[in-house]
Amino acid sequence: MLQTHPFLRFLAVGALNTAVGYCLFLTALAIMPTTFSAMVVSTVLSVLFNFKTTGRMVFGVRDTRLLARFVGVYGVVFLYNWLGVDILQAAGFRPWLAGLILLPGGVVIAYTLNSRFVFRSGA
């Protein structure tokens, strides 16, 4: 089933990417002076990891020239998370829980933009 459905492959690889990214975020939260700096550091490291796994395992693409587009997609996802965490923190949520709450929306945004603008056929 994973062979014929790219979104299912994206979800499977996304589980790995999410686990890595969220662990990086938690680690960065523990050692960085601000939530924003933790988000920046964990996002940069996650994007580099995700580019390789998503490109190869989901879309079958190994073209490193697509990294700039991929970074652009995760720039959008970063803004979504940054604003979302800020709003949820203002509502009383802890940063770790706010990040968890925002995961599903980030997944949908990332898949949609990656499939249409980064790894599309003929990209």
Side-chain angles (χ1 to χ4, degrees):
M1 187 179 273
L2 289 177
Q3 297 290 348
T4 58
H5 299 298
F7 186 71
L8 293 178
R9 281 195 310 274
F10 184 81
L11 291 177
V13 170
L16 169 65
N17 291 347
T18 298
V20 168
Y22 194 60
C23 286
L24 288 169
F25 177 59
L26 292 176
T27 301
L29 271 177
I31 61 176
M32 301 302 294
T34 66
T35 299
F36 180 76
S37 62
M39 289 178 70
V40 169
V41 168
S42 63
T43 297
V44 168
L45 295 174
S46 295
V47 165
L48 295 174
F49 180 80
N50 293 358
F51 178 71
K52 290 295 185 183
T53 57
T54 301
R56 288 181 183 181
M57 299 169 80
V58 177
F59 297 103
V61 174
R62 296 171 188 237
D63 188 353
T64 56
R65 295 174 297 176
L66 299 174
L67 182 59
R69 290 185 202 175
F70 192 80
V71 168
V73 165
Y74 278 91
V76 172
V77 174
F78 178 82
L79 288 174
Y80 161 81
N81 283 316
W82 178 31
L83 294 172
V85 166
D86 199 41
I87 290 167
L88 290 171
Q89 276 189 280
F93 289 88
R94 301 287 227 168
W96 67 267
L97 182 56
L100 191 61
I101 290 168
L102 293 166
L103 279 175
V107 167
V108 171
I109 292 167
Y111 177 78
T112 301
L113 295 178
N114 275 314
S115 66
R116 293 184 181 173
F117 301 113
V118 180
F119 299 112
R120 70 180 190 270
S121 297

